[in-house]
Amino acid sequence: MIGRLIKKYVTKELIVYGVVGFMTSGVDFIVSYLINDIIGCTFTVVTNSVAWVAAVAFAYVANNTWVFRLGFEGWKTEVQKIWKFTAARIASGVIGVGGMYLLVDCMELPFWPVKIALAVIVILLNYVFSKLFIFINPI
């Protein structure tokens, strides 16, 4: 039964999205590590905001190129996709940054377990936004 569900819902696109999501989280985590642990900025709103900008820039290119395979579709279409992508990532970014502030700064939960849990939630939300609203193949 589980095998049939996996075959039905786990597509190549979803697998590639997972890999890109993992890589995007890697960008986010590396930038967070550099700012939080190396530079010593422990104010999580700053750390997560900078890491988020780096991750979003990477994610747009990777999703457009490798996941949804749309590539450059002309300036007008590209600008529209970038705006939609940015708006969706702002929505999920608010969840990530706000969650870190609430759970780490206010409730004093440990930084990395919270960051990892929120990353999973954000990746799932971003796939739904990307699939349904941003990278829509007109064919």
Side-chain angles (χ1 to χ4, degrees), residues 21-112:
F22 181 78
M23 291 167 57
T24 300
S25 293
V27 169
D28 184 277
F29 287 9
I30 289 167
V31 173
S32 291
Y33 171 74
L34 292 172
I35 295 170
N36 187 69
D37 298 351
I38 301 299
I39 294 173
C41 177
T42 58
F43 187 55
T44 59
V45 172
V46 172
T47 301
N48 281 287
S49 296
V50 173
W52 178 83
V53 169
V56 167
F58 171 81
Y60 178 79
V61 173
N63 279 294
N64 195 46
T65 304
W66 297 323
V67 177
F68 300 103
R69 300 177 156 249
L70 296 176
F72 183 77
E73 299 180 287
W75 288 108
K76 182 178 178 183
T77 302
E78 242 10 77
V79 168
Q80 289 172 343
K81 287 192 305 187
I82 290 168
W83 278 111
K84 288 179 184 179
F85 189 82
T86 302
R89 294 300 166 113
I90 287 171
S92 65
V94 166
I95 292 167
V97 173
M100 287 297 289
Y101 175 73
L102 178 68
L103 297 170
V104 175
D105 289 342
C106 296
M107 298 177 68
E108 299 182 358
L109 295 175
F111 182 89
W112 288 109

Side-chain angles (χ1 to χ4, degrees), residues 117-134:
L118 286 170
V120 171
I121 293 166
V122 166
I123 289 169
L124 293 172
L125 284 173
N126 287 336
Y127 180 75
V128 171
F129 292 151
S130 294
K131 181 73 174 171
L132 299 178
F133 303 113
I134 302 159

